Amino acid sequence: MRERVQSTGIAIGAGALSSFAGVALHNAARPLGLVVALLILYTTFSLLGKAYHSRFIKLIAAIAVMAILIRASTHGVSFELLVYGNRMGDLYTVASTGLLIYLVWRREWKSSVTSKL
């Protein structure tokens, strides 16, 4: 039980941190920032998949990513936006959502080398 709670907390933290990095970087250096933001998201989910071999953990991290992305896309108290409705913001939102769907349902294969050790 304790391991499940700990892994869920790590998944929430990793998802939120990778989403925050993506929101901060996607509009930085126009094409390169978007690529780096999606690469960070891919790396985070690959590491979570290899560490826990659980779709549930990746789903929890994806929910954290989407919560940060939705909050960054809505107007704040003083009408500020972090993800604008321009081409890069729309492309980041659609690409990260599609990448999340792929990464959550992708199966992680155990290496035959590590299983023999």
Side-chain angles (χ1 to χ4, degrees):
M1 177 72 177
R2 182 176 176 187
E3 293 172 4
R4 183 74 156 197
V5 171
Q6 185 178 11
S7 61
T8 303
I10 289 172
I12 291 171
L17 188 64
S18 66
S19 180
F20 176 73
V23 166
L25 289 174
H26 84 278
N27 219 7
R30 286 296 164 114
L32 187 63
L34 179 67
V35 171
V36 170
L38 294 174
L39 189 65
I40 288 172
L41 196 64
Y42 180 82
T43 305
T44 301
F45 276 80
S46 293
L47 291 175
L48 281 175
K50 291 194 184 299
Y52 296 109
H53 298 287
S54 171
R55 284 188 183 149
F56 176 75
I57 296 300
K58 292 192 291 186
L59 182 65
I60 294 296
I63 290 170
V65 168
M66 290 308 294
I68 298 290
L69 183 61
I70 289 170
R71 181 62 188 121
S73 300
T74 58
H75 291 286
V77 175
S78 59
F79 299 105
E80 73 276 359
L81 279 174
L82 296 176
V83 177
Y84 293 107
N86 58 3
R87 183 181 307 150
M88 293 308 270
D90 292 341
L91 187 59
Y92 173 66
T93 303
V94 170
S96 63
T97 303
L99 187 63
L100 282 175
I101 291 170
Y102 168 72
L103 290 173
V104 167
W105 296 111
R106 183 179 70 162
R107 184 175 180 154
E108 296 293 334
W109 296 97
K110 294 182 181 179
S111 174
S112 61
V113 174
T114 57
S115 64
K116 292 180 181 178
L117 294 177

